[in-house]
Amino acid sequence: MDHFVYRPDRHDGGDHVAMHCEQLPAEEIARLAGTPCYVYSKATLLEHYQRLTAAFAPLAPLVCYSIKSCGNLSICKLLGEAGAGMDVVSGGELYRALAAGVPASRCVYAGVGKTDAEIEQALDAGLGASGLGLFNVESEEEFENIARIARRKNAVCNAALRVNPDVDPKTHRYTSTGKKESKFGVDIERAKAFFRRFGRDPHCRLCGIHLHIGSPIYTTQPYVESVQKATALIDELAAEGFTITTLDLGGGFGADYETDQSPTLAAYADAIVPLLAARVLRGLKIILEPGRTLVANAGVLLTRVLYIKTSGEKTFAICDAGMNDLLRPSLYQAFHFIWPCRTTASFAPARRAKDMAIDGLLPIDVVGPICESGDFFAVDRPLPPLRRGDLLAIYTAGAYGMAMASRYNSTPLPAEVLVDGSTLAIVRKRESYEDLIAHERSPEPVVTG
Ligand code: PLP
């Protein structure tokens, strides 16, 4: 699954185990990078990418990594070098993709609120002009705006219409996007009218259908339903003379926050490939936009226990990371497996689960230092007894971890490190207090008179 594993602790008589990222002990990483810090495993990331491309090989998809899940340039570069394109949703993400060396011809650009400046930036970069790159258009007004700007620039770009297949992905309501009443895309009935109105525009060429129904999606059925609806739409459009050359299936494949929680990538592919293989042979191009499934388990957040505190019936482990570093538990009540990086062998976790049935575990709230009651990573979580100074790993933190981190309570953003075998690289240095105020100025009027 990943390369974060417990091995006998070589500084000990054999009674203890220590968590390693690839060949490096977590304690060593924390010593070099400090805490809190995000740790990414290169081998895990690339294995996930290879597993995905192997599973979907019959569709020969362009895999556009969803930058929003983890935008670190080194992560984007590794995936870009492995052959991935990028799924971007802002000018900043497009800037990152280009900075990572991924050409705009391998980028797809979604997002309901693209500004004029962002559209110009994407057109100037050549997005949609060649290759499989596409604007993923989310509304009539946005289409008109892209076409207007392209016309003014005398440019031509390819676009896909994002369609809501009205399928329930059975995920958190904040990350469910494929229902009819979603702010994303247009519903399938409007799609035909959309093509009739805009499908022959010479500057913004509508040649694709885009789906993204939610994240994470832990069953294959919502994909089957939405692909079936999309292919039916493609046929209806063909009957009206509109040729769809590209189907972008979006992202949303699950990740194992608990052991074996998610279908394997091969299981997703087994459900989807038969629905599309014949069309691919006839020339349909497929795009996938995975984020979480590639990077979630390629990263952990390391945090140090600052204090153990008892209050009423409760025991709290107060850590140096908080909701400012990893927001998912506070925002979505998301589960992240947490375990001390060094423990006695009897506490070595054989799997990752909410209810770990090991003798001697104690219920603990793992919380951060932020002044919010919602600043927690786990509530009443069975854990080995903890002490001040213990190093904890918060697992499956590679996706939507650092990407959502903030400086709330004036906390500098944490470091990010990339481990490759027994070498470590700091791929984003920890911010300093100077960084916190670097963009602030004493009030000076900009407009006078
Ligand atoms: N594509 C689009 C349009 C998205 O909005 C998202 C996530 O929100 C993704 C892809 C990536 O989803 P995931 O990380 O679950 O694969």
Side-chain angles (χ1 to χ4, degrees):
M1 182 172 110
D2 59 54
H3 291 268
F4 297 96
V5 288
Y6 284 80
R7 302 209 182 96
D9 188 346
R10 56 190 156 88
H11 301 299
D12 180 89
D15 187 32
H16 282 73
V17 289
M19 199 274 267
H20 288 61
C21 174
E22 303 195 11
Q23 302 309 316
L24 278 180
E27 278 288 0
E28 181 75 0
I29 298 171
R31 193 180 61 75
L32 293 166
T35 56
C37 76
Y38 278 95
V39 181
Y40 305 113
S41 153
K42 177 178 171 182
T44 308
L45 180 72
L46 293 181
E47 274 174 32
H48 289 177
Y49 179 76
Q50 278 142 16
R51 224 174 284 159
L52 179 79
T53 51
F56 282 92
L59 302 183
L62 173 65
V63 176
C64 288
Y65 167 61
S66 195
I67 288 195
K68 68 172 77 65
S69 59
C70 178
N72 185 283
L73 275 186
S74 299
I75 297 289
C76 296
K77 263 188 197 150
L78 284 175
L79 291 170
E81 283 160 11
M86 302 280 140
D87 154 45
V88 306
V89 292
S90 68
E93 287 194 352
L94 177 58
Y95 184 82
R96 272 189 185 276
L98 299 175
V102 178
S105 58
R106 282 199 276 142
C107 291
V108 288
Y109 187 176
V112 292
K114 301 175 188 79
T115 64
D116 290 13
E118 287 175 319
I119 294 166
E120 292 211 20
Q121 171 202 5
L123 288 170
D124 290 345
L127 194 141
S130 63
L132 283 185
L134 289 171
F135 280 88
N136 285 335
V137 178
E138 310 247 6
S139 68
E140 284 87 351
E141 286 203 349
E142 185 202 325
F143 182 91
E144 287 179 309
N145 200 32
I146 296 173
R148 182 184 59 80
I149 295 172
R151 195 178 323 116
R152 178 163 51 71
K153 289 178 149 314
N154 205 18
V156 174
C157 62
N158 290 330
L161 174 62
R162 180 164 177 178
V163 169
N164 285 325
D166 198 27
V167 166
D168 185 356
K170 300 198 169 56
T171 190
H172 194 283
R173 66 190 173 93
Y174 287 5
T175 54
S176 170
T177 53
K179 296 280 286 168
K180 210 172 185 170
E181 39 289 314
S182 152
K183 77 170 177 182
F184 301 98
V186 303
D187 61 65
I188 218 148
E189 289 79 38
R190 284 172 78 114
K192 277 175 273 170
F194 200 113
F195 270 81
R196 284 180 209 128
R197 189 164 161 206
F198 300 118
R200 306 198 193 281
D201 190 283
H203 289 279
C204 189
R205 291 186 304 224
L206 264 184
C207 59
I209 296 292
H210 176 222
L211 306 166
H212 173 75
I213 54 175
S215 162
I217 301 170
Y218 282 113
T219 58
T220 56
Q221 191 54 27
Y223 285 101
V224 170
E225 275 177 49
S226 54
V227 169
Q228 283 168 340
K229 288 189 177 181
T231 49
L233 174 65
I234 289 174
D235 291 342
E236 288 178 50
L237 290 171
E240 294 196 29
F242 300 107
T243 308
I244 300 300
T245 56
T246 308
L247 175 60
D248 180 344
L249 300 181
F253 300 141
D256 281 338
Y257 290 85
E258 294 186 82
T259 302
D260 295 335
Q261 178 185 5
S262 179
T264 60
L265 288 166
Y268 287 109
D270 285 350
I272 294 169
V273 168
L275 304 174
L276 294 171
R279 287 174 190 268
V280 167
L281 287 178
R282 294 201 298 274
L284 184 69
K285 305 268 187 295
I286 302 296
I287 296 178
L288 301 174
E289 301 174 353
R292 184 190 315 269
T293 199
L294 296 180
V295 80
N297 275 308
V300 302
L301 175 61
L302 294 183
T303 180
R304 195 68 77 183
V305 176
L306 297 173
Y307 304 107
I308 301 291
K309 162 174 172 171
T310 307
S311 186
E313 301 290 293
K314 278 203 170 274
T315 304
F316 295 93
I318 300 165
C319 303
D320 62 4
M323 64 189 290
N324 51 314
D325 302 297
L326 177 64
L327 186 60
R328 297 189 73 258
S330 307
L331 185 63
Y332 309 126
Q333 290 73 52
F335 171 81
H336 283 264
F337 184 70
I338 301 174
W339 211 253
C341 292
R342 184 171 183 277
T343 136
T344 55
S346 62
F347 286 127
R351 62 197 179 96
R352 298 177 196 157
K354 285 193 184 96
D355 305 311
M356 299 290 283
I358 303 176
D359 283 347
L361 300 184
L362 302 169
I364 297 176
D365 281 21
V366 183
V367 302
I370 298 298
C371 298
E372 297 278 342
S373 301
D375 177 27
F376 59 84
F377 295 124
V379 176
D380 289 331
R381 181 72 61 81
L383 282 171
L386 297 179
R387 286 187 315 194
R388 170 172 160 80
D390 281 349
L391 183 67
L392 301 181
I394 304 181
Y395 289 81
T396 325
Y400 308 104
M402 183 65 174
M404 287 183 165
S406 78
R407 301 178 182 86
Y408 185 41
N409 279 196
S410 282
T411 47
L413 290 177
E416 292 175 284
V417 307
L418 181 65
V419 173
D420 178 11
S422 55
T423 61
L424 172 150
I426 307 269
V427 291
R428 191 182 205 281
K429 69 175 188 168
R430 182 178 309 286
E431 286 191 351
S432 64
Y433 291 146
E434 290 75 28
D435 293 326
L436 286 180
I437 58 169
H439 290 270
E440 295 181 33
R441 299 278 178 271
S442 49
E444 282 164 21
V446 176
V447 183
T448 54

PDB file of all heavy atoms in Angstrom, residues 38-53:
ATOM      1  N   TYR A  38       5.320  17.707   6.736  1.00  0.00           N
ATOM      2  CA  TYR A  38       4.746  16.707   5.832  1.00  0.00           C
ATOM      3  C   TYR A  38       5.886  15.910   5.221  1.00  0.00           C
ATOM      4  O   TYR A  38       6.889  16.485   4.781  1.00  0.00           O
ATOM      5  CB  TYR A  38       3.941  17.384   4.717  1.00  0.00           C
ATOM      6  CG  TYR A  38       2.540  17.756   5.160  1.00  0.00           C
ATOM      7  CD1 TYR A  38       2.262  19.031   5.642  1.00  0.00           C
ATOM      8  CD2 TYR A  38       1.521  16.827   5.119  1.00  0.00           C
ATOM      9  CE1 TYR A  38       0.976  19.363   6.069  1.00  0.00           C
ATOM     10  CE2 TYR A  38       0.241  17.142   5.531  1.00  0.00           C
ATOM     11  CZ  TYR A  38      -0.032  18.408   6.000  1.00  0.00           C
ATOM     12  OH  TYR A  38      -1.301  18.721   6.415  1.00  0.00           O
ATOM     13  N   VAL A  39       5.715  14.591   5.205  1.00  0.00           N
ATOM     14  CA  VAL A  39       6.743  13.709   4.649  1.00  0.00           C
ATOM     15  C   VAL A  39       6.130  12.920   3.504  1.00  0.00           C
ATOM     16  O   VAL A  39       5.110  12.244   3.683  1.00  0.00           O
ATOM     17  CB  VAL A  39       7.235  12.719   5.736  1.00  0.00           C
ATOM     18  CG1 VAL A  39       8.322  11.815   5.180  1.00  0.00           C
ATOM     19  CG2 VAL A  39       7.711  13.471   6.963  1.00  0.00           C
ATOM     20  N   TYR A  40       6.729  13.027   2.332  1.00  0.00           N
ATOM     21  CA  TYR A  40       6.216  12.307   1.157  1.00  0.00           C
ATOM     22  C   TYR A  40       7.197  11.210   0.760  1.00  0.00           C
ATOM     23  O   TYR A  40       8.417  11.410   0.800  1.00  0.00           O
ATOM     24  CB  TYR A  40       6.036  13.263  -0.031  1.00  0.00           C
ATOM     25  CG  TYR A  40       5.156  14.455   0.285  1.00  0.00           C
ATOM     26  CD1 TYR A  40       5.692  15.751   0.317  1.00  0.00           C
ATOM     27  CD2 TYR A  40       3.802  14.299   0.568  1.00  0.00           C
ATOM     28  CE1 TYR A  40       4.890  16.850   0.613  1.00  0.00           C
ATOM     29  CE2 TYR A  40       3.001  15.396   0.868  1.00  0.00           C
ATOM     30  CZ  TYR A  40       3.542  16.663   0.891  1.00  0.00           C
ATOM     31  OH  TYR A  40       2.758  17.743   1.195  1.00  0.00           O
ATOM     32  N   SER A  41       6.643  10.086   0.356  1.00  0.00           N
ATOM     33  CA  SER A  41       7.459   8.963  -0.114  1.00  0.00           C
ATOM     34  C   SER A  41       7.402   8.904  -1.635  1.00  0.00           C
ATOM     35  O   SER A  41       6.340   8.681  -2.218  1.00  0.00           O
ATOM     36  CB  SER A  41       6.932   7.657   0.497  1.00  0.00           C
ATOM     37  OG  SER A  41       7.229   6.560  -0.339  1.00  0.00           O
ATOM     38  N   LYS A  42       8.561   9.096  -2.248  1.00  0.00           N
ATOM     39  CA  LYS A  42       8.625   9.083  -3.722  1.00  0.00           C
ATOM     40  C   LYS A  42       8.189   7.723  -4.277  1.00  0.00           C
ATOM     41  O   LYS A  42       7.415   7.653  -5.241  1.00  0.00           O
ATOM     42  CB  LYS A  42      10.070   9.403  -4.158  1.00  0.00           C
ATOM     43  CG  LYS A  42      10.278   9.348  -5.645  1.00  0.00           C
ATOM     44  CD  LYS A  42      11.719   9.723  -5.996  1.00  0.00           C
ATOM     45  CE  LYS A  42      12.000   9.448  -7.458  1.00  0.00           C
ATOM     46  NZ  LYS A  42      13.395   9.754  -7.810  1.00  0.00           N
ATOM     47  N   ALA A  43       8.679   6.653  -3.657  1.00  0.00           N
ATOM     48  CA  ALA A  43       8.358   5.312  -4.182  1.00  0.00           C
ATOM     49  C   ALA A  43       6.852   5.077  -4.139  1.00  0.00           C
ATOM     50  O   ALA A  43       6.272   4.516  -5.082  1.00  0.00           O
ATOM     51  CB  ALA A  43       9.085   4.246  -3.371  1.00  0.00           C
ATOM     52  N   THR A  44       6.206   5.521  -3.045  1.00  0.00           N
ATOM     53  CA  THR A  44       4.757   5.301  -2.934  1.00  0.00           C
ATOM     54  C   THR A  44       4.027   6.065  -4.031  1.00  0.00           C
ATOM     55  O   THR A  44       3.146   5.526  -4.714  1.00  0.00           O
ATOM     56  CB  THR A  44       4.249   5.762  -1.554  1.00  0.00           C
ATOM     57  OG1 THR A  44       5.044   5.148  -0.548  1.00  0.00           O
ATOM     58  CG2 THR A  44       2.790   5.403  -1.341  1.00  0.00           C
ATOM     59  N   LEU A  45       4.404   7.322  -4.202  1.00  0.00           N
ATOM     60  CA  LEU A  45       3.737   8.163  -5.197  1.00  0.00           C
ATOM     61  C   LEU A  45       3.829   7.535  -6.589  1.00  0.00           C
ATOM     62  O   LEU A  45       2.829   7.402  -7.299  1.00  0.00           O
ATOM     63  CB  LEU A  45       4.395   9.553  -5.193  1.00  0.00           C
ATOM     64  CG  LEU A  45       3.817  10.558  -6.164  1.00  0.00           C
ATOM     65  CD1 LEU A  45       2.445  11.017  -5.692  1.00  0.00           C
ATOM     66  CD2 LEU A  45       4.745  11.759  -6.318  1.00  0.00           C
ATOM     67  N   LEU A  46       5.049   7.135  -6.957  1.00  0.00           N
ATOM     68  CA  LEU A  46       5.231   6.608  -8.312  1.00  0.00           C
ATOM     69  C   LEU A  46       4.580   5.233  -8.480  1.00  0.00           C
ATOM     70  O   LEU A  46       4.040   4.921  -9.536  1.00  0.00           O
ATOM     71  CB  LEU A  46       6.723   6.572  -8.674  1.00  0.00           C
ATOM     72  CG  LEU A  46       7.336   7.979  -8.790  1.00  0.00           C
ATOM     73  CD1 LEU A  46       8.809   7.908  -9.164  1.00  0.00           C
ATOM     74  CD2 LEU A  46       6.583   8.857  -9.794  1.00  0.00           C
ATOM     75  N   GLU A  47       4.578   4.446  -7.404  1.00  0.00           N
ATOM     76  CA  GLU A  47       3.886   3.148  -7.496  1.00  0.00           C
ATOM     77  C   GLU A  47       2.389   3.353  -7.726  1.00  0.00           C
ATOM     78  O   GLU A  47       1.770   2.652  -8.518  1.00  0.00           O
ATOM     79  CB  GLU A  47       4.097   2.343  -6.209  1.00  0.00           C
ATOM     80  CG  GLU A  47       5.388   1.542  -6.225  1.00  0.00           C
ATOM     81  CD  GLU A  47       5.655   0.881  -4.893  1.00  0.00           C
ATOM     82  OE1 GLU A  47       4.684   0.511  -4.184  1.00  0.00           O
ATOM     83  OE2 GLU A  47       6.834   0.761  -4.557  1.00  0.00           O
ATOM     84  N   HIS A  48       1.812   4.323  -7.007  1.00  0.00           N
ATOM     85  CA  HIS A  48       0.377   4.575  -7.202  1.00  0.00           C
ATOM     86  C   HIS A  48       0.099   5.015  -8.640  1.00  0.00           C
ATOM     87  O   HIS A  48      -0.874   4.579  -9.257  1.00  0.00           O
ATOM     88  CB  HIS A  48      -0.112   5.661  -6.218  1.00  0.00           C
ATOM     89  CG  HIS A  48      -0.167   5.186  -4.806  1.00  0.00           C
ATOM     90  ND1 HIS A  48      -0.516   6.008  -3.763  1.00  0.00           N
ATOM     91  CD2 HIS A  48       0.084   3.975  -4.248  1.00  0.00           C
ATOM     92  CE1 HIS A  48      -0.483   5.323  -2.628  1.00  0.00           C
ATOM     93  NE2 HIS A  48      -0.114   4.093  -2.895  1.00  0.00           N
ATOM     94  N   TYR A  49       0.969   5.873  -9.161  1.00  0.00           N
ATOM     95  CA  TYR A  49       0.773   6.350 -10.533  1.00  0.00           C
ATOM     96  C   TYR A  49       0.870   5.170 -11.517  1.00  0.00           C
ATOM     97  O   TYR A  49       0.039   5.027 -12.420  1.00  0.00           O
ATOM     98  CB  TYR A  49       1.810   7.425 -10.866  1.00  0.00           C
ATOM     99  CG  TYR A  49       1.678   7.939 -12.281  1.00  0.00           C
ATOM    100  CD1 TYR A  49       0.671   8.818 -12.619  1.00  0.00           C
ATOM    101  CD2 TYR A  49       2.555   7.513 -13.279  1.00  0.00           C
ATOM    102  CE1 TYR A  49       0.514   9.275 -13.932  1.00  0.00           C
ATOM    103  CE2 TYR A  49       2.420   7.958 -14.580  1.00  0.00           C
ATOM    104  CZ  TYR A  49       1.402   8.848 -14.898  1.00  0.00           C
ATOM    105  OH  TYR A  49       1.253   9.273 -16.188  1.00  0.00           O
ATOM    106  N   GLN A  50       1.882   4.322 -11.291  1.00  0.00           N
ATOM    107  CA  GLN A  50       2.053   3.188 -12.212  1.00  0.00           C
ATOM    108  C   GLN A  50       0.886   2.203 -12.120  1.00  0.00           C
ATOM    109  O   GLN A  50       0.430   1.660 -13.113  1.00  0.00           O
ATOM    110  CB  GLN A  50       3.384   2.476 -11.949  1.00  0.00           C
ATOM    111  CG  GLN A  50       4.542   3.205 -12.633  1.00  0.00           C
ATOM    112  CD  GLN A  50       5.819   3.218 -11.802  1.00  0.00           C
ATOM    113  OE1 GLN A  50       5.935   2.442 -10.852  1.00  0.00           O
ATOM    114  NE2 GLN A  50       6.752   4.102 -12.134  1.00  0.00           N
ATOM    115  N   ARG A  51       0.386   2.007 -10.884  1.00  0.00           N
ATOM    116  CA  ARG A  51      -0.753   1.093 -10.712  1.00  0.00           C
ATOM    117  C   ARG A  51      -1.981   1.627 -11.461  1.00  0.00           C
ATOM    118  O   ARG A  51      -2.729   0.888 -12.075  1.00  0.00           O
ATOM    119  CB  ARG A  51      -1.072   0.956  -9.223  1.00  0.00           C
ATOM    120  CG  ARG A  51      -1.330  -0.474  -8.809  1.00  0.00           C
ATOM    121  CD  ARG A  51      -1.489  -0.610  -7.327  1.00  0.00           C
ATOM    122  NE  ARG A  51      -0.231  -0.543  -6.616  1.00  0.00           N
ATOM    123  CZ  ARG A  51      -0.097  -0.245  -5.338  1.00  0.00           C
ATOM    124  NH1 ARG A  51      -1.151   0.078  -4.619  1.00  0.00           N
ATOM    125  NH2 ARG A  51       1.076  -0.250  -4.760  1.00  0.00           N
ATOM    126  N   LEU A  52      -2.162   2.932 -11.386  1.00  0.00           N
ATOM    127  CA  LEU A  52      -3.318   3.544 -12.074  1.00  0.00           C
ATOM    128  C   LEU A  52      -3.185   3.403 -13.589  1.00  0.00           C
ATOM    129  O   LEU A  52      -4.127   2.979 -14.278  1.00  0.00           O
ATOM    130  CB  LEU A  52      -3.419   5.020 -11.690  1.00  0.00           C
ATOM    131  CG  LEU A  52      -4.560   5.784 -12.346  1.00  0.00           C
ATOM    132  CD1 LEU A  52      -5.875   5.480 -11.631  1.00  0.00           C
ATOM    133  CD2 LEU A  52      -4.316   7.285 -12.316  1.00  0.00           C
ATOM    134  N   THR A  53      -2.015   3.740 -14.121  1.00  0.00           N
ATOM    135  CA  THR A  53      -1.861   3.676 -15.583  1.00  0.00           C
ATOM    136  C   THR A  53      -1.932   2.224 -16.066  1.00  0.00           C
ATOM    137  O   THR A  53      -2.491   1.955 -17.127  1.00  0.00           O
ATOM    138  CB  THR A  53      -0.552   4.345 -16.056  1.00  0.00           C
ATOM    139  OG1 THR A  53       0.513   3.815 -15.289  1.00  0.00           O
ATOM    140  CG2 THR A  53      -0.587   5.839 -15.894  1.00  0.00           C
TER     141      THR A  53
END
